Amino acid sequence: MTSSPLAKLHYFAGRGRAETTRWMLAATQVPFENAPLDSPRALAALRATGKLPFDQIPLLEIDGLCLSQSTAMIRYLARRSDLYGDNKTDALWCDMIAGAASDFAETAMQAAFMPSHDQAMSALHDRVQKFGPKFEARLRDNGSQFVSGARLTFADVVLAQATSA
């Protein structure tokens, strides 16, 4: 694959596991093309290219690379655009906040598969009650409008996306 200034993100036509990568691409001002897979045949065709390192999507083609695993994509974009904080402590907080935001968001992703609307809403409510105060405390304790350090990091993007839907 040759390097191209336009990144390409392959995923189903929906938010899912590719949404935070979309937010990171936007936050880092990387021009990209959404390449939605609209059928099992489209996914099979993508698999046949050999571009999927683990035979899974999402797939991000950028800088001559084929990236798999959404967490790795997000962190690659963060390092690429200097959004990993200014020191090791900032980077540690970025990783912790991103991990907690992922745990928080997992319940929302699973809500559609819950046996009932009431059970889904109860699970979401419990997650907000658990994580919301912790996220607010981190913002307060950090003493800035950011969750790590004094400037925007990928953790801010991840948390904003996780709490947006």
Side-chain angles (χ1 to χ4, degrees):
M1 186 176 105
T2 60
S3 184
S4 168
L6 184 66
K8 191 171 187 177
L9 182 62
H10 303 265
Y11 196 64
F12 303 114
R15 293 171 46 112
R17 298 207 179 273
E19 190 64 11
T20 306
T21 301
R22 289 186 192 98
W23 279 53
M24 279 296 294
L25 288 162
T28 58
Q29 300 181 354
V30 173
F32 72 100
E33 170 191 353
N34 267 310
L37 302 172
D38 58 1
S39 70
R41 193 170 53 170
L43 178 56
L46 180 59
R47 283 183 170 140
T49 67
K51 292 181 179 181
L52 299 171
F54 300 102
D55 205 29
Q56 297 173 300
I57 56 172
L59 168 68
L60 177 62
E61 296 182 72
I62 187 170
D63 298 335
L65 302 168
C66 290
L67 306 181
S68 183
Q69 299 299 321
S70 54
T71 301
M73 293 173 197
I74 293 160
R75 284 170 168 74
Y76 176 80
L77 292 167
R79 287 187 297 274
R80 184 181 188 269
S81 298
D82 193 28
L83 292 183
Y84 228 116
D86 293 324
N87 55 53
K88 290 178 183 180
T89 302
D90 288 353
L92 173 64
W93 273 107
C94 284
D95 287 337
M96 288 194 303
I97 294 295
S102 177
D103 291 346
F104 170 79
E106 189 66 29
T107 300
M109 292 181 76
Q110 294 172 352
F113 304 103
M114 299 290 278
S116 73
H117 175 75
D118 289 343
Q119 286 175 315
M121 293 308 294
S122 178
L124 290 170
H125 179 266
D126 290 348
R127 278 301 202 193
V128 169
Q129 295 294 18
K130 176 182 178 178
F131 284 98
K134 303 294 185 189
F135 294 145
E136 289 174 352
R138 177 60 197 154
L139 282 164
R140 185 177 54 253
D141 294 347
N142 191 43
S144 75
Q145 62 184 338
F146 306 107
V147 294
S148 179
R151 64 183 178 89
L152 181 73
T153 64
F154 84 93
D156 296 293
V157 178
V158 170
L159 182 58
Q161 190 281 316
T163 58
S164 72

